[in-house]
Amino acid sequence: MERTLSIIKPDGVARGIIGEVIQRLESNKLKIVAMKMLKMNKTQAEGFYAVHEARPFFDSLTYFMSSGPIVIMVLEGENAIAKYREIMGATDYKEAAEGTIRKDFATDIEKNVVHGSDSPETAIFEISYFFNSFELIH
Ligand code: IDP
Ligand code: MG
């Protein structure tokens, strides 16, 4: 069993597709073992995306990610990291496969509805950024 961090980004929450995203996770056997909703400030978003600090889109991305409430979940399942990234689709929705969340709902390379961890190491950092051990269902 593997765990990964999922975020429904401010655009997804604002557009009322929390339920749609969760439906796709559950129907793909990704079990939700932690969940919360909050609004990050700019500094918190910068800490979360620190790995992208040098990228030209860093300021815009962290501004966007702190612009409204987000839904944060820990997903558990077999190959959860790769499986969830498959369900999300490519970063750029124009390149995302048919039937993926980003293909169906993203409007912009930045405003692409969902976030997912990209490796076991990233997942550990990202889960611990938002949740302590008491908040994870065992
Ligand atoms: P990922 O979310 O598919 O893992 P990353 O490369 O880790 O993609 O980028 C993090 C986030 O930064 C993306 O989800 C997207 O919101 C934003 N982003 C990535 N590339 C660009 C870009 O070229 N322009 C604007 N925003 C971008
Ligand atoms: Mg990434």
PDB file of all heavy atoms in Angstrom, residues 2-26:
ATOM      1  N   GLU A   2       0.466   2.188  -0.784  1.00  0.00           N
ATOM      2  CA  GLU A   2       1.238   3.420  -0.917  1.00  0.00           C
ATOM      3  C   GLU A   2       0.307   4.598  -0.620  1.00  0.00           C
ATOM      4  O   GLU A   2      -0.894   4.504  -0.808  1.00  0.00           O
ATOM      5  CB  GLU A   2       1.736   3.497  -2.366  1.00  0.00           C
ATOM      6  CG  GLU A   2       2.830   4.502  -2.623  1.00  0.00           C
ATOM      7  CD  GLU A   2       3.356   4.359  -4.060  1.00  0.00           C
ATOM      8  OE1 GLU A   2       2.557   4.528  -5.013  1.00  0.00           O
ATOM      9  OE2 GLU A   2       4.557   4.077  -4.220  1.00  0.00           O
ATOM     10  N   ARG A   3       0.905   5.707  -0.180  1.00  0.00           N
ATOM     11  CA  ARG A   3       0.118   6.917   0.085  1.00  0.00           C
ATOM     12  C   ARG A   3       0.604   8.073  -0.766  1.00  0.00           C
ATOM     13  O   ARG A   3       1.797   8.186  -1.049  1.00  0.00           O
ATOM     14  CB  ARG A   3       0.220   7.299   1.562  1.00  0.00           C
ATOM     15  CG  ARG A   3      -0.613   6.404   2.449  1.00  0.00           C
ATOM     16  CD  ARG A   3      -0.407   6.750   3.899  1.00  0.00           C
ATOM     17  NE  ARG A   3      -1.369   6.023   4.728  1.00  0.00           N
ATOM     18  CZ  ARG A   3      -1.347   6.016   6.044  1.00  0.00           C
ATOM     19  NH1 ARG A   3      -0.424   6.693   6.707  1.00  0.00           N
ATOM     20  NH2 ARG A   3      -2.254   5.346   6.727  1.00  0.00           N
ATOM     21  N   THR A   4      -0.330   8.930  -1.122  1.00  0.00           N
ATOM     22  CA  THR A   4       0.006  10.115  -1.917  1.00  0.00           C
ATOM     23  C   THR A   4      -0.837  11.294  -1.456  1.00  0.00           C
ATOM     24  O   THR A   4      -1.898  11.113  -0.862  1.00  0.00           O
ATOM     25  CB  THR A   4      -0.202   9.826  -3.425  1.00  0.00           C
ATOM     26  OG1 THR A   4       0.317  10.915  -4.197  1.00  0.00           O
ATOM     27  CG2 THR A   4      -1.676   9.634  -3.778  1.00  0.00           C
ATOM     28  N   LEU A   5      -0.339  12.500  -1.700  1.00  0.00           N
ATOM     29  CA  LEU A   5      -1.116  13.684  -1.332  1.00  0.00           C
ATOM     30  C   LEU A   5      -1.870  14.218  -2.544  1.00  0.00           C
ATOM     31  O   LEU A   5      -1.304  14.381  -3.633  1.00  0.00           O
ATOM     32  CB  LEU A   5      -0.212  14.808  -0.792  1.00  0.00           C
ATOM     33  CG  LEU A   5      -1.060  15.968  -0.245  1.00  0.00           C
ATOM     34  CD1 LEU A   5      -1.457  15.707   1.192  1.00  0.00           C
ATOM     35  CD2 LEU A   5      -0.354  17.302  -0.373  1.00  0.00           C
ATOM     36  N   SER A   6      -3.143  14.491  -2.320  1.00  0.00           N
ATOM     37  CA  SER A   6      -4.003  15.076  -3.356  1.00  0.00           C
ATOM     38  C   SER A   6      -4.497  16.438  -2.887  1.00  0.00           C
ATOM     39  O   SER A   6      -4.858  16.594  -1.724  1.00  0.00           O
ATOM     40  CB  SER A   6      -5.206  14.151  -3.576  1.00  0.00           C
ATOM     41  OG  SER A   6      -6.244  14.848  -4.257  1.00  0.00           O
ATOM     42  N   ILE A   7      -4.488  17.402  -3.794  1.00  0.00           N
ATOM     43  CA  ILE A   7      -5.108  18.705  -3.494  1.00  0.00           C
ATOM     44  C   ILE A   7      -6.096  19.037  -4.610  1.00  0.00           C
ATOM     45  O   ILE A   7      -5.758  18.924  -5.791  1.00  0.00           O
ATOM     46  CB  ILE A   7      -4.062  19.842  -3.407  1.00  0.00           C
ATOM     47  CG1 ILE A   7      -3.024  19.556  -2.314  1.00  0.00           C
ATOM     48  CG2 ILE A   7      -4.749  21.192  -3.139  1.00  0.00           C
ATOM     49  CD1 ILE A   7      -1.943  20.629  -2.188  1.00  0.00           C
ATOM     50  N   ILE A   8      -7.303  19.433  -4.207  1.00  0.00           N
ATOM     51  CA  ILE A   8      -8.211  20.070  -5.161  1.00  0.00           C
ATOM     52  C   ILE A   8      -7.902  21.565  -5.042  1.00  0.00           C
ATOM     53  O   ILE A   8      -8.075  22.184  -3.996  1.00  0.00           O
ATOM     54  CB  ILE A   8      -9.688  19.768  -4.870  1.00  0.00           C
ATOM     55  CG1 ILE A   8      -9.905  18.233  -4.816  1.00  0.00           C
ATOM     56  CG2 ILE A   8     -10.586  20.401  -5.949  1.00  0.00           C
ATOM     57  CD1 ILE A   8     -11.335  17.821  -4.454  1.00  0.00           C
ATOM     58  N   LYS A   9      -7.361  22.117  -6.114  1.00  0.00           N
ATOM     59  CA  LYS A   9      -6.830  23.489  -6.113  1.00  0.00           C
ATOM     60  C   LYS A   9      -7.968  24.522  -6.058  1.00  0.00           C
ATOM     61  O   LYS A   9      -9.147  24.182  -6.266  1.00  0.00           O
ATOM     62  CB  LYS A   9      -5.969  23.681  -7.367  1.00  0.00           C
ATOM     63  CG  LYS A   9      -4.714  22.789  -7.385  1.00  0.00           C
ATOM     64  CD  LYS A   9      -3.827  23.098  -8.590  1.00  0.00           C
ATOM     65  CE  LYS A   9      -2.564  22.239  -8.575  1.00  0.00           C
ATOM     66  NZ  LYS A   9      -1.616  22.626  -9.657  1.00  0.00           N
ATOM     67  N   PRO A  10      -7.637  25.799  -5.807  1.00  0.00           N
ATOM     68  CA  PRO A  10      -8.685  26.822  -5.674  1.00  0.00           C
ATOM     69  C   PRO A  10      -9.650  26.886  -6.859  1.00  0.00           C
ATOM     70  O   PRO A  10     -10.842  27.147  -6.666  1.00  0.00           O
ATOM     71  CB  PRO A  10      -7.878  28.121  -5.552  1.00  0.00           C
ATOM     72  CG  PRO A  10      -6.583  27.700  -4.922  1.00  0.00           C
ATOM     73  CD  PRO A  10      -6.295  26.345  -5.517  1.00  0.00           C
ATOM     74  N   ASP A  11      -9.182  26.615  -8.065  1.00  0.00           N
ATOM     75  CA  ASP A  11     -10.093  26.669  -9.225  1.00  0.00           C
ATOM     76  C   ASP A  11     -11.120  25.542  -9.160  1.00  0.00           C
ATOM     77  O   ASP A  11     -12.299  25.737  -9.458  1.00  0.00           O
ATOM     78  CB  ASP A  11      -9.321  26.655 -10.559  1.00  0.00           C
ATOM     79  CG  ASP A  11      -8.437  25.423 -10.736  1.00  0.00           C
ATOM     80  OD1 ASP A  11      -7.921  24.887  -9.719  1.00  0.00           O
ATOM     81  OD2 ASP A  11      -8.240  24.990 -11.885  1.00  0.00           O
ATOM     82  N   GLY A  12     -10.686  24.357  -8.718  1.00  0.00           N
ATOM     83  CA  GLY A  12     -11.600  23.217  -8.615  1.00  0.00           C
ATOM     84  C   GLY A  12     -12.653  23.434  -7.538  1.00  0.00           C
ATOM     85  O   GLY A  12     -13.830  23.133  -7.749  1.00  0.00           O
ATOM     86  N   VAL A  13     -12.223  23.968  -6.385  1.00  0.00           N
ATOM     87  CA  VAL A  13     -13.179  24.239  -5.303  1.00  0.00           C
ATOM     88  C   VAL A  13     -14.163  25.317  -5.749  1.00  0.00           C
ATOM     89  O   VAL A  13     -15.378  25.166  -5.583  1.00  0.00           O
ATOM     90  CB  VAL A  13     -12.428  24.664  -4.014  1.00  0.00           C
ATOM     91  CG1 VAL A  13     -13.417  25.114  -2.944  1.00  0.00           C
ATOM     92  CG2 VAL A  13     -11.564  23.523  -3.496  1.00  0.00           C
ATOM     93  N   ALA A  14     -13.650  26.395  -6.358  1.00  0.00           N
ATOM     94  CA  ALA A  14     -14.508  27.508  -6.775  1.00  0.00           C
ATOM     95  C   ALA A  14     -15.545  27.072  -7.806  1.00  0.00           C
ATOM     96  O   ALA A  14     -16.667  27.581  -7.813  1.00  0.00           O
ATOM     97  CB  ALA A  14     -13.654  28.642  -7.330  1.00  0.00           C
ATOM     98  N   ARG A  15     -15.185  26.110  -8.633  1.00  0.00           N
ATOM     99  CA  ARG A  15     -16.109  25.679  -9.685  1.00  0.00           C
ATOM    100  C   ARG A  15     -17.067  24.582  -9.248  1.00  0.00           C
ATOM    101  O   ARG A  15     -17.893  24.110 -10.045  1.00  0.00           O
ATOM    102  CB  ARG A  15     -15.314  25.263 -10.917  1.00  0.00           C
ATOM    103  CG  ARG A  15     -14.747  26.494 -11.644  1.00  0.00           C
ATOM    104  CD  ARG A  15     -13.711  26.130 -12.664  1.00  0.00           C
ATOM    105  NE  ARG A  15     -14.246  25.194 -13.625  1.00  0.00           N
ATOM    106  CZ  ARG A  15     -13.510  24.290 -14.267  1.00  0.00           C
ATOM    107  NH1 ARG A  15     -12.229  24.194 -14.020  1.00  0.00           N
ATOM    108  NH2 ARG A  15     -14.065  23.498 -15.149  1.00  0.00           N
ATOM    109  N   GLY A  16     -16.953  24.177  -7.995  1.00  0.00           N
ATOM    110  CA  GLY A  16     -17.930  23.215  -7.466  1.00  0.00           C
ATOM    111  C   GLY A  16     -17.747  21.805  -7.976  1.00  0.00           C
ATOM    112  O   GLY A  16     -18.738  21.090  -8.199  1.00  0.00           O
ATOM    113  N   ILE A  17     -16.491  21.382  -8.155  1.00  0.00           N
ATOM    114  CA  ILE A  17     -16.269  20.018  -8.646  1.00  0.00           C
ATOM    115  C   ILE A  17     -15.518  19.143  -7.634  1.00  0.00           C
ATOM    116  O   ILE A  17     -14.900  18.147  -8.000  1.00  0.00           O
ATOM    117  CB  ILE A  17     -15.575  20.007 -10.037  1.00  0.00           C
ATOM    118  CG1 ILE A  17     -14.290  20.834 -10.026  1.00  0.00           C
ATOM    119  CG2 ILE A  17     -16.533  20.514 -11.105  1.00  0.00           C
ATOM    120  CD1 ILE A  17     -13.486  20.709 -11.316  1.00  0.00           C
ATOM    121  N   ILE A  18     -15.640  19.507  -6.346  1.00  0.00           N
ATOM    122  CA  ILE A  18     -15.048  18.663  -5.293  1.00  0.00           C
ATOM    123  C   ILE A  18     -15.638  17.252  -5.388  1.00  0.00           C
ATOM    124  O   ILE A  18     -14.909  16.254  -5.382  1.00  0.00           O
ATOM    125  CB  ILE A  18     -15.324  19.250  -3.881  1.00  0.00           C
ATOM    126  CG1 ILE A  18     -14.638  20.600  -3.698  1.00  0.00           C
ATOM    127  CG2 ILE A  18     -14.886  18.268  -2.793  1.00  0.00           C
ATOM    128  CD1 ILE A  18     -15.046  21.328  -2.405  1.00  0.00           C
ATOM    129  N   GLY A  19     -16.942  17.178  -5.471  1.00  0.00           N
ATOM    130  CA  GLY A  19     -17.624  15.879  -5.512  1.00  0.00           C
ATOM    131  C   GLY A  19     -17.214  15.051  -6.715  1.00  0.00           C
ATOM    132  O   GLY A  19     -16.982  13.843  -6.613  1.00  0.00           O
ATOM    133  N   GLU A  20     -17.107  15.707  -7.850  1.00  0.00           N
ATOM    134  CA  GLU A  20     -16.710  15.025  -9.092  1.00  0.00           C
ATOM    135  C   GLU A  20     -15.301  14.422  -8.961  1.00  0.00           C
ATOM    136  O   GLU A  20     -15.054  13.286  -9.360  1.00  0.00           O
ATOM    137  CB  GLU A  20     -16.739  16.054 -10.234  1.00  0.00           C
ATOM    138  CG  GLU A  20     -16.254  15.559 -11.572  1.00  0.00           C
ATOM    139  CD  GLU A  20     -17.211  14.581 -12.246  1.00  0.00           C
ATOM    140  OE1 GLU A  20     -18.427  14.821 -12.207  1.00  0.00           O
ATOM    141  OE2 GLU A  20     -16.717  13.580 -12.804  1.00  0.00           O
ATOM    142  N   VAL A  21     -14.381  15.203  -8.379  1.00  0.00           N
ATOM    143  CA  VAL A  21     -13.008  14.709  -8.209  1.00  0.00           C
ATOM    144  C   VAL A  21     -12.998  13.525  -7.244  1.00  0.00           C
ATOM    145  O   VAL A  21     -12.403  12.482  -7.526  1.00  0.00           O
ATOM    146  CB  VAL A  21     -12.062  15.836  -7.724  1.00  0.00           C
ATOM    147  CG1 VAL A  21     -10.693  15.275  -7.346  1.00  0.00           C
ATOM    148  CG2 VAL A  21     -11.918  16.918  -8.792  1.00  0.00           C
ATOM    149  N   ILE A  22     -13.684  13.671  -6.116  1.00  0.00           N
ATOM    150  CA  ILE A  22     -13.701  12.586  -5.114  1.00  0.00           C
ATOM    151  C   ILE A  22     -14.326  11.319  -5.701  1.00  0.00           C
ATOM    152  O   ILE A  22     -13.851  10.207  -5.465  1.00  0.00           O
ATOM    153  CB  ILE A  22     -14.425  13.046  -3.826  1.00  0.00           C
ATOM    154  CG1 ILE A  22     -13.553  14.090  -3.102  1.00  0.00           C
ATOM    155  CG2 ILE A  22     -14.737  11.861  -2.908  1.00  0.00           C
ATOM    156  CD1 ILE A  22     -14.182  14.692  -1.854  1.00  0.00           C
ATOM    157  N   GLN A  23     -15.372  11.488  -6.483  1.00  0.00           N
ATOM    158  CA  GLN A  23     -16.012  10.348  -7.167  1.00  0.00           C
ATOM    159  C   GLN A  23     -14.988   9.560  -7.991  1.00  0.00           C
ATOM    160  O   GLN A  23     -14.933   8.335  -7.962  1.00  0.00           O
ATOM    161  CB  GLN A  23     -17.133  10.895  -8.060  1.00  0.00           C
ATOM    162  CG  GLN A  23     -17.583   9.978  -9.197  1.00  0.00           C
ATOM    163  CD  GLN A  23     -18.227   8.706  -8.694  1.00  0.00           C
ATOM    164  OE1 GLN A  23     -18.865   8.701  -7.647  1.00  0.00           O
ATOM    165  NE2 GLN A  23     -18.037   7.625  -9.416  1.00  0.00           N
ATOM    166  N   ARG A  24     -14.138  10.284  -8.712  1.00  0.00           N
ATOM    167  CA  ARG A  24     -13.141   9.612  -9.557  1.00  0.00           C
ATOM    168  C   ARG A  24     -12.082   8.898  -8.729  1.00  0.00           C
ATOM    169  O   ARG A  24     -11.582   7.834  -9.110  1.00  0.00           O
ATOM    170  CB  ARG A  24     -12.495  10.626 -10.502  1.00  0.00           C
ATOM    171  CG  ARG A  24     -13.487  11.113 -11.553  1.00  0.00           C
ATOM    172  CD  ARG A  24     -12.877  12.142 -12.471  1.00  0.00           C
ATOM    173  NE  ARG A  24     -13.891  12.677 -13.374  1.00  0.00           N
ATOM    174  CZ  ARG A  24     -13.663  12.981 -14.649  1.00  0.00           C
ATOM    175  NH1 ARG A  24     -12.469  12.820 -15.153  1.00  0.00           N
ATOM    176  NH2 ARG A  24     -14.632  13.467 -15.387  1.00  0.00           N
ATOM    177  N   LEU A  25     -11.738   9.476  -7.581  1.00  0.00           N
ATOM    178  CA  LEU A  25     -10.750   8.821  -6.705  1.00  0.00           C
ATOM    179  C   LEU A  25     -11.332   7.532  -6.150  1.00  0.00           C
ATOM    180  O   LEU A  25     -10.714   6.467  -6.218  1.00  0.00           O
ATOM    181  CB  LEU A  25     -10.361   9.759  -5.553  1.00  0.00           C
ATOM    182  CG  LEU A  25      -9.835  11.140  -5.948  1.00  0.00           C
ATOM    183  CD1 LEU A  25      -9.556  11.966  -4.690  1.00  0.00           C
ATOM    184  CD2 LEU A  25      -8.572  11.009  -6.793  1.00  0.00           C
ATOM    185  N   GLU A  26     -12.540   7.633  -5.608  1.00  0.00           N
ATOM    186  CA  GLU A  26     -13.148   6.474  -4.965  1.00  0.00           C
ATOM    187  C   GLU A  26     -13.443   5.353  -5.965  1.00  0.00           C
ATOM    188  O   GLU A  26     -13.253   4.187  -5.661  1.00  0.00           O
ATOM    189  CB  GLU A  26     -14.434   6.883  -4.230  1.00  0.00           C
ATOM    190  CG  GLU A  26     -14.141   7.765  -3.028  1.00  0.00           C
ATOM    191  CD  GLU A  26     -15.376   8.118  -2.216  1.00  0.00           C
ATOM    192  OE1 GLU A  26     -16.463   8.286  -2.823  1.00  0.00           O
ATOM    193  OE2 GLU A  26     -15.258   8.229  -0.991  1.00  0.00           O
TER     194      GLU A  26
END
